Amino acid sequence: MKKTVALATGILLLVGNMALAESDVKGALINQSEVKGAANIAIGKDNKASMGTLAVKDSAIKGAVINQSNVKGAANIAVGEGNEANMGSTTIAGSDIKGAVINQSDVKGAANIAIGKDNKANMGSTNISNSALKGAVINQSNVKGAANIAIGQGNEANMGSTNISGSDIKGAVINQSDVQGAANIAIGKDNKANMGSTNISDSALKGAVINQSAVKGAANIAIGEGNEANMGSTNISGSDVKGAVINQSDVKGAANIAIGKDNKANMGSTNISDSSVKGAVINQSDVKGAANIAIGQGNEANMGSTNISDSDIKGAVINQSKVKGAANIAIGKDNKANMGSVVIDNTNIKGAVINQSDVQGAANIAIGQGNSANMGSVVAE
């Protein structure tokens, strides 16, 4: 049974963590937290560790949902089976929100780690699943010198990212992340490591999708079976988007590596599969002195590229990428290495396809069986 929270002022203001379940809130929901030099640890089975986080589950909110967190020198760790570690994040599941969802997090020198089975580690991220939202989704995260690690089976490590699955969003989705000197690692089976990325799956969106990320001196690594490593990228699958899709990423001196079976390494790229997009698809990426490597079987390494497969696009497809002094390598079986390229497969596009790429002093290598290496190219299959 849902609990009703009626507010005369229209604002529910909290300091610290906020967890709301099976509730009906008529007004804005705001969490303002400042955490300094603190450790938040959950060890055992089915535990959750939350620091500077706003979590909403199976609830109805008629108003904005805002999480403003300032986390400094803090460790947020969940160790065991089915654990979650959330730091400076907003998590919404199975809810109906009529208002904007805004996550503003400033995380410095912090470690956010989930070790075990079916764990998730979220730092400076917005995660929405199986929900309906009428309003913009904005994730503004500033992550410096932080490690976000998920080790085990079926883990996810999200840092400065927006992740939407199975949801209906009527409003723009904007991810603005500044990640510096940070490591985002997922090691195990079926893991995902997302840094400064926007990931949308099985959702309907009426509004623009914009990913604006600045990633400097950061490592984003996924090691294991079926892993993905996404850095400064926009990834859309099985979704219906009515609005422009824009990926604007600035990646410098960063390593984005996926090692194992069926892995993908995406850096400063836009990847769309099994989706319908009514609007322009624009990838504007500036990649300098970075390494993007996928090693194993069936891997892909995409840097400053736009990749569209099995989709219907009604609008222009524009890839404007600037790649300098970077290495894009795919080694193994059935691998692909795409740098500053547009790759279209089994897709219907009603609009111009434009690739404007500036590639200088860069290496794009594919070694193995059935591999492709595309640099500054347009490939239609």
Side-chain angles (χ1 to χ4, degrees):
M1 181 177 179
K2 287 189 176 181
K3 296 167 284 186
T4 300
V5 181
L7 304 172
T9 60
I11 298 176
L12 180 58
L13 179 63
L14 300 109
V15 178
N17 291 320
M18 174 57 184
L20 199 68
E22 297 183 355
S23 298
D24 187 355
V25 179
K26 296 179 180 179
L29 185 63
I30 303 174
N31 183 59
Q32 294 177 324
S33 60
E34 183 169 354
V35 183
K36 297 181 180 180
N40 183 43
I41 303 171
I43 301 175
K45 184 178 179 181
D46 302 326
N47 291 331
K48 294 182 180 180
S50 298
M51 180 181 290
T53 297
L54 175 58
V56 179
K57 182 179 180 181
D58 301 329
S59 298
I61 312 292
K62 293 183 180 179
V65 176
I66 303 173
N67 185 58
Q68 297 172 321
S69 59
N70 187 358
V71 182
K72 298 180 180 179
N76 181 48
I77 303 170
V79 181
E81 181 178 346
N83 293 329
E84 290 190 11
N86 297 309
M87 179 184 288
S89 297
T90 297
T91 303
I92 298 175
S95 297
D96 185 358
I97 312 293
K98 293 181 179 178
V101 175
I102 303 173
N103 186 67
Q104 297 172 320
S105 60
D106 188 358
V107 182
K108 298 179 180 178
N112 180 48
I113 303 170
I115 301 174
K117 182 181 178 183
D118 303 324
N119 291 331
K120 295 181 181 180
N122 298 309
M123 179 184 288
S125 297
T126 298
N127 306 292
I128 300 173
S129 62
N130 304 321
S131 297
L133 284 84
K134 292 183 179 179
V137 177
I138 303 174
N139 186 66
Q140 297 172 320
S141 59
N142 186 4
V143 182
K144 297 182 180 179
N148 180 48
I149 303 170
I151 301 175
Q153 181 177 350
N155 293 330
E156 291 189 10
N158 298 308
M159 179 184 288
S161 297
T162 297
N163 306 292
I164 299 174
S165 63
S167 297
D168 185 357
I169 312 292
K170 293 181 180 178
V173 176
I174 303 173
N175 186 66
Q176 297 171 319
S177 59
D178 185 359
V179 182
Q180 300 181 14
N184 180 48
I185 303 170
I187 301 174
K189 183 181 178 182
D190 303 324
N191 292 331
K192 294 181 181 180
N194 298 309
M195 178 184 287
S197 297
T198 298
N199 306 291
I200 300 172
S201 63
D202 304 322
S203 298
L205 285 85
K206 292 183 179 179
V209 177
I210 303 174
N211 186 66
Q212 297 172 319
S213 59
V215 182
K216 297 180 181 179
N220 180 48
I221 303 170
I223 301 174
E225 181 178 346
N227 293 330
E228 290 189 10
N230 298 308
M231 179 184 287
S233 297
T234 298
N235 306 292
I236 300 174
S237 64
S239 297
D240 185 0
V241 180
K242 294 180 180 178
V245 177
I246 303 173
N247 186 66
Q248 297 171 319
S249 59
D250 185 1
V251 181
K252 296 180 181 178
N256 180 48
I257 303 169
I259 301 174
K261 182 181 178 183
D262 303 324
N263 292 331
K264 294 181 181 180
N266 298 309
M267 179 184 288
S269 297
T270 298
N271 306 291
I272 300 174
S273 63
D274 301 319
S275 297
S276 174
V277 179
K278 293 182 180 178
V281 177
I282 303 173
N283 185 65
Q284 297 171 320
S285 59
D286 187 357
V287 182
K288 295 180 181 178
N292 180 48
I293 303 170
I295 302 174
Q297 181 178 350
N299 293 329
E300 291 189 10
N302 298 308
M303 178 183 287
S305 297
T306 299
N307 307 289
I308 303 174
S309 63
D310 302 319
S311 297
D312 186 2
I313 311 295
K314 293 182 180 179
V317 176
I318 303 173
N319 186 67
Q320 297 171 319
S321 59
K322 186 181 294 184
V323 182
K324 295 183 180 179
N328 182 47
I329 303 170
I331 301 174
K333 182 182 178 182
D334 303 324
N335 292 330
K336 295 180 181 180
N338 298 310
M339 178 183 287
S341 298
V342 176
V343 180
I344 301 170
D345 181 28
N346 195 31
T347 295
N348 183 25
I349 299 178
K350 293 183 179 179
V353 177
I354 302 172
N355 184 53
Q356 297 172 320
S357 58
D358 184 2
V359 182
Q360 300 180 15
N364 182 46
I365 303 170
I367 302 174
Q369 180 179 349
N371 293 330
S372 297
N374 298 309
M375 178 184 289
S377 302
V378 175
V379 180
E381 299 176 343

